[in-house]
Amino acid sequence: MRILISAGEASGEMYGAQLIVALRRVAGGSIQKSKSPTSRQERGKGGTPGLEHSTQDIEFFGVGGEKMRAARCEIVVNAKDLAIVGITEILSHLPKIWGLFHKLISEADKRKPDLAVVIDSPAFNWRVARQMKKRGIPVVYYVCPQFWAWRQGRVRLLRKYVDKALVIFPFEEKFYRDRGVDAEFVGHPLADLPRPAISRDEYAAEHGLDPEKPWITLMPGSRVKEVRMNLPEMLGAAKILGNEYESILPVAATLEWSFVENLVKNCTSIEDTDAHVGAGALTRTDTLRAAENGELGSPARTRTSGSTRALSVRFVRDSLPALAHSRAGIIASGTATVEAALMETPFVMVYRVTPLTYLLGRSTVKVPHFAMVNLIAGRGVVSELVQRDFTADRVATEVSRILPDGNDRETMVQGLREVRSLLRGNTMDGDHPADSAARTILELAQARTPVSA
């Protein structure tokens, strides 16, 4: 079996790698031939009945990054090349995106996949879905576009080009089904994430952090434009909070390390700053890869003339240990807010786009909250600071409310725990949401290509 898989952002690429592993695991356990159950609650844990695929039978190619490559997917288009954001930004990159799109479709025409899985990134992926549908290839949309939030009329694209929609938020299933889309809630791919095994002291030693100080994780996004828009105010807030805290900045896989380092060093919105920007302690493999990519160098230090206070920012690769061991977070809207919720780390959600992008998009937004955790909970669990409200002073004020023990912090933590429970849905004990998605995908593929008796 050959599957095209297209994931255009850091979160989608992570979900794609997770799904590839689950597909091989589930297919490898699928040796019996009986009627497939009709719901994921009825399915067993050892594989999907009715399938006889072995782990060697599945071949993956498409759009992704290093995580999907490590999961043995042949990368035709690198997700980094699609990591842009905003209406005006997309327009300026159209020729490049169009070329990458045709490169992927040409490769699909050569390889003739049995099935296509597209993950998030609707601006790119609905076009992939349309081309696959034209060729008679079944299409699964995993992590569906958030059309319930904006441009609801575009649900017609899913009805027309997608055979199965696998949604990861509990309220999405009804929304899409009510509009004629064959949708199934499979649980959020991150819902079962355990806390990282590394201790706080070990993590501090690896990355040059002071274990005696509280840490604040800054997550400005996974795309170049949004990092440029979000990071300066985040750093400003960190400076206001003072040098009794240390800041950790996980660098998304879709970003070049040197880009973020230079942005921190050259950020003119922050005065009196001494930024310590370094890789921390990476594994040998990570170190070699970073050296090959030009991501390593001596830590950069910049100080405005006359400064006496230092702002320490430590770069790291993985976000989850940083979040798990931080006292609080300043998190850009997106998947990172879900990660923070799952680590039960109190945070403030922030976001900014260009004024034109905001003007064009705000009138189409149909939801009462921007933060996903607030949408899932149905109330304001975390503070949201968007556009003009997103200033360093406002962020620092909101973060200061949740740093000390007390009612504000405890109420938020309880809300984050509730969100985690809702994200798991009705998955069976020990059954990962990605396995549920994998079973549905393999059943669809089996319906198209029956195995011999």
Side-chain angles (χ1 to χ4, degrees), residues 174-189:
K174 183 178 188 301
F175 172 85
Y176 282 115
R177 284 187 175 181
D178 286 350
R179 289 158 179 79
V181 177
D182 183 4
E184 178 183 343
F185 172 54
V186 293
H188 197 286

Side-chain angles (χ1 to χ4, degrees), residues 257 282 285-296 317:
W257 189 286
L282 302 176
T285 300
D286 285 341
T287 301
L288 291 173
R289 185 181 298 117
E292 291 170 357
N293 294 337
E295 295 171 346
L296 287 180
R317 274 298 180 198

Side-chain angles (χ1 to χ4, degrees), residues 359-385:
L359 178 65
L360 294 174
R362 187 66 184 95
S363 62
T364 67
V365 174
K366 307 294 184 182
V367 292
H369 302 288
F370 286 98
M372 183 56 68
V373 295
N374 292 343
L375 289 169
I376 295 167
R379 67 180 193 279
V381 174
V382 303
S383 297
E384 302 177 348
L385 299 176

Side-chain angles (χ1 to χ4, degrees), residues 135-150:
R135 289 156 173 77
I137 297 168
V139 177
V140 175
Y141 214 126
Y142 183 42
V143 189
C144 283
Q146 295 175 2
F147 291 150
W148 40 264
W150 66 295

Side-chain angles (χ1 to χ4, degrees), residues 6-9 63 82-91 93-94 97-98 100-102 104-105 118-131 141 143-147 150-151 154 157-158 161 223:
S6 176
E9 300 184 32
V63 181
L82 301 176
I84 57 175
V85 62
I87 296 169
T88 57
E89 294 77 35
I90 289 173
L91 290 175
H93 287 80
L94 272 179
I97 295 172
W98 195 244
L100 295 171
F101 171 73
H102 281 288
L104 177 66
I105 301 306
V118 294
I119 304 175
D120 206 359
S121 305
F124 186 85
N125 275 334
W126 81 257
R127 293 172 171 83
V128 175
R130 180 175 63 181
Q131 292 300 319
Y141 214 126
V143 189
C144 283
Q146 295 175 2
F147 291 150
W150 66 295
R151 304 182 75 176
R154 301 206 105 190
L157 299 174
L158 294 185
Y161 301 123
R223 292 170 286 190

